[in-house]
Amino acid sequence: MEVSVIGNPQTKKIYRAELTYRELGFRFGSQVISGDSRNRVSFLTHQSSKWKEIKIRSSPRSVRCEAIVSDQAPFLKPTPNSRSLESVKLFVGLPLDTVSDCNNVNHLKAITAGLKALKLLGVEGIELPIFWGVVEKEAPGKYEWSGYLAVAEIVKKVGLKLHASLSFHGSKHPEISLPDWVAKIGEAEQGIYFTDRYGKQYKDCLSFAVDDVPVLDGKTPMEVYRGFCESFKSAFSDYLGNTITGITLGLGPDGELRYPSHQHETNLSGAGEFQCYDKHMLSALKHYAESTGNPLWGLGGPHDAPAYDQQPCSTSFFSDGGSWESQYGDFFLTWYSSLLTSHADRVLSVASSAFKGTGVSLCGKLPLLHQWNKLRSQPSELTAGFYSSGGHDRYEAIAEIFAKNSCRMIILGMDLSDEHQSPASLSSPESLLAHIKTSCKRQGVVVSGQNSAASVPGGFERIVENLKDESVGVDLFTYQRMGAVFFSPEHFHAFTVFVRNMNQFKLSSYDQAVEGDKAKTMSIGSGTTGAASLQTA
């Protein structure tokens, strides 16, 4: 199998790279892959209870590309109101655990080989998740950037751009926690975490209600985040504005601006639950209720909202004419959503101040909460904190915050289509995405895109359709994320076709350098059969 890429829009080219191999070793996640076989890096993926082995081969020699003409490269047909995608910058996310909690770069050689393959394909850059719990792990103000600096240097040498995601949250898969010293505080002061009505805590990010409360060793979370940003700016000063072109600020669970309304990852059939039961949220609710002359409304969240696994209309709160439309519903939802928007404003303001004049663009990430959005109440959005009273646009208020802080908005789910949603979910990702993009356009907010976490049918085609939409020009798209599945023969071929369809490839002077036998190649093939291989550099 050969990889086709585009150099000139009028000339379809397939670049072949010839190689001399050398042995590489690689460890991916919890699986250790030995270097028993020569000249390869191995990935293991689990499919249907069988492990499939993926091999990457590389050599230290530089690239020599031979171009041949091909008329078999598939392209998507232009659509009405479509635009050229040559100006859209394509980034690819690195694995979440690229840097371990001991500040070692995991699977370094495999990542380096993968970056060189992406460079040859014409990818603009790489997104690097940088976790608070890795950098400031041991003690407040004690930062360790060495692992992430090593990755930045590799990206620079390969000739790619870097987008840094500053993540003030943890992750369950792979397991990445908040800093150890924060966890110790959380054990003694459990009110720092989001809590549902059953008392279950969400420990992968801090409650929005403690933003300005000195709960972290005498400092507020905003003060700690500011120190983190300032330290990052100092440590990466040589990369800012040249290699590093953008920074995304973590705004909540998984870095997204939302409440962790779904704490049961395996069951998303319901609309989620309100996360307002930690002591600081309850205190804020009580104060707000008293200030509006309704003290009894400040005793807790809605009593008639459904549980995690219940259908939205199984109780009265989200039903037509239910509590969400009452005076009490407006009171509660207005307060609940105000903490979300205030949190976004605080974090983006901290970042805007810290990175002013560095030449990097700032971004925040917004989820696409499309499940149940055909219901009038749109319950998945309400439990996640998106609401606006009086019929106003709930996303316009968010866009205003982004515009105020000169921040771009990354919208997830640009690979989702209505036709692949279950009719029972009453979901329309296409209409919701159009709604959010329109809100951003009204406020002058630049939109960037990202795909959803899991691969979906027709995802690449849907991404291209969204990027070609002239109504709101998306100038940057991040595809998530590198790893064993990404480099599997089936997926990597589909990704290559996707890049080709974007007409993005431009051969750099770095790649054009041809010096006799200074050839370098990579082979990404199938497992033990060795039948299919992907040749690139």
Side-chain angles (χ1 to χ4, degrees):
M1 179 170 61
E2 294 177 327
V3 180
S4 299
V5 294
I6 291 300
N8 186 308
Q10 298 177 358
T11 305
K12 301 173 185 177
K13 297 181 179 180
I14 299 177
Y15 286 89
R16 288 176 177 168
E18 298 177 0
L19 67 161
T20 304
Y21 299 114
R22 65 183 173 88
E23 184 173 348
L24 300 175
F26 176 56
R27 186 180 76 83
F28 186 81
S30 61
Q31 297 297 321
V32 179
I33 296 91
S34 67
D36 294 340
S37 300
R38 293 189 60 192
N39 313 325
R40 65 186 58 146
V41 178
S42 297
F43 298 74
L44 290 183
T45 60
H46 188 262
Q47 296 179 356
S48 302
S49 302
K50 295 182 179 179
W51 288 98
K52 175 184 287 187
E53 185 180 15
I54 311 302
K55 303 184 182 80
I56 294 182
R57 298 177 177 179
S58 182
S59 82
R61 299 183 180 181
S62 59
V63 176
R64 176 163 64 88
C65 291
E66 173 191 352
I68 63 175
V69 177
S70 169
D71 291 323
Q72 298 179 353
F75 284 83
L76 296 179
K77 296 179 180 179
T79 57
N81 299 320
S82 66
R83 65 189 183 102
S84 169
L85 298 182
E86 291 182 0
S87 62
V88 179
K89 296 179 176 64
L90 178 62
F91 280 63
V92 175
L94 284 167
L96 293 175
D97 61 348
T98 294
V99 176
S100 72
D101 59 2
C102 297
N103 260 281
N104 296 318
V105 181
N106 290 323
H107 35 267
L108 172 62
K109 293 179 180 179
I111 284 178
T112 303
L115 294 184
K116 291 174 181 177
L118 296 177
K119 171 66 178 177
L120 187 62
L121 282 180
V123 169
E124 174 78 10
I126 297 298
E127 179 263 343
L128 173 62
I130 298 177
F131 282 92
W132 181 28
V134 172
V135 175
E136 200 177 356
K137 178 182 179 179
E138 296 181 357
K142 184 179 179 181
Y143 307 103
E144 178 54 75
W145 299 100
S146 58
Y148 293 113
L149 283 167
V151 176
E153 184 62 21
I154 294 167
V155 172
K156 178 181 178 181
K157 288 181 177 179
V158 172
L160 293 166
K161 298 300 183 183
L162 182 64
H163 189 107
S165 294
L166 304 186
S167 305
F168 300 116
H169 62 276
S171 167
K172 287 184 172 59
H173 306 291
E175 186 175 350
I176 303 172
S177 62
L178 296 186
D180 290 347
W181 60 276
V182 174
K184 290 179 181 179
I185 293 173
E187 291 175 3
E189 173 57 73
Q190 296 188 359
I192 67 174
Y193 299 124
F194 287 111
T195 306
D196 63 18
R197 58 178 163 177
Y198 314 107
K200 182 180 179 182
Q201 296 179 316
Y202 180 83
K203 296 184 178 181
D204 283 335
C205 71
L206 301 180
S207 170
F208 300 152
V210 300
D211 277 357
D212 289 328
V213 182
V215 295
L216 299 180
D217 200 26
K219 291 186 176 182
T220 69
M222 289 302 113
E223 290 172 330
V224 173
Y225 297 164
R226 183 182 298 276
F228 188 91
C229 290
E230 293 289 352
S231 178
F232 173 84
K233 181 174 69 172
S234 175
F236 289 82
S237 58
D238 291 341
Y239 301 93
L240 292 174
N242 43 76
T243 299
I244 298 177
T245 57
I247 297 173
T248 295
L249 281 304
L251 298 175
D254 298 324
E256 303 166 13
L257 180 60
R258 61 179 174 87
Y259 285 93
S261 49
H262 277 289
Q263 290 201 30
H264 297 295
E265 295 181 352
T266 58
N267 192 342
L268 300 178
S269 61
E273 291 210 29
F274 294 108
Q275 307 295 311
C276 59
Y277 292 90
D278 66 76
K279 74 174 189 179
H280 295 284
M281 289 286 285
L282 289 173
S283 176
L285 176 59
K286 180 175 181 293
H287 182 267
Y288 182 71
E290 291 172 348
S291 69
T292 59
N294 299 288
L296 294 179
W297 288 353
L299 300 179
H303 70 279
D304 55 347
Y308 287 110
D309 57 352
Q310 290 182 309
Q311 297 286 302
C313 294
S314 62
T315 63
S316 61
F317 188 84
F318 293 120
S319 301
D320 286 349
S323 302
W324 73 278
E325 294 187 273
S326 68
Q327 186 178 358
Y328 164 75
D330 182 65
F331 154 84
F332 175 79
L333 295 170
T334 297
W335 166 79
Y336 189 69
S337 63
S338 71
L339 268 67
L340 182 82
T341 54
S342 295
H343 173 74
D345 192 19
R346 292 187 187 103
V347 175
L348 297 180
S349 178
V350 163
S352 180
S353 174
F355 296 112
K356 184 177 182 180
T358 59
V360 300
S361 60
L362 297 181
C363 308
K365 193 179 295 184
L366 201 73
L368 194 69
L369 302 162
H370 58 87
Q371 196 169 32
W372 304 111
N373 75 320
K374 290 182 180 179
L375 292 175
R376 284 187 55 244
S377 58
Q378 298 175 323
S380 292
E381 295 168 72
L382 297 185
T383 57
F386 295 91
Y387 174 77
S388 185
S389 62
H392 298 294
D393 183 354
R394 63 187 66 181
Y395 290 101
E396 191 119 6
I398 301 297
E400 286 179 10
I401 296 298
F402 277 66
K404 171 187 172 184
N405 292 286
S406 302
C407 186
R408 295 167 176 249
M409 184 181 291
I410 301 172
I411 307 176
L412 277 64
M414 287 199 175
D415 55 336
L416 301 177
S417 60
D418 289 0
E419 67 175 303
H420 292 111
Q421 304 305 312
S422 167
S425 70
L426 298 177
S427 168
S428 178
E430 293 180 26
S431 63
L432 181 57
L433 178 60
H435 178 179
I436 298 174
K437 289 197 293 186
T438 299
S439 299
C440 288
K441 185 175 182 179
R442 290 195 190 113
Q443 294 297 323
V445 175
V446 177
V447 172
S448 296
Q450 185 174 307
N451 57 308
S452 51
S455 179
V456 297
F460 285 123
E461 290 82 357
R462 184 62 194 158
I463 292 169
V464 171
E465 290 175 11
N466 276 313
L467 297 182
K468 285 189 173 182
D469 181 9
E470 284 189 333
S471 61
V472 177
V474 177
D475 66 348
L476 187 149
F477 185 86
T478 302
Y479 187 82
Q480 301 292 5
R481 144 177 333 273
M482 280 177 64
V485 173
F486 180 86
F487 282 115
S488 67
E490 298 84 0
H491 181 274
F492 197 71
H493 173 67
F495 179 78
T496 301
V497 174
F498 164 63
V499 176
R500 188 185 315 155
N501 283 330
M502 292 181 66
N503 288 339
Q504 175 155 338
F505 188 85
K506 293 183 177 67
L507 191 62
S508 69
S509 58
Y510 172 87
D511 294 320
Q512 294 180 50
V514 179
E515 292 291 340
D517 67 342
K518 295 180 181 177
K520 176 176 184 178
T521 61
M522 175 190 308
S523 174
I524 304 176
S526 63
T528 56
T529 63
S533 66
L534 208 58
Q535 295 186 339
T536 181

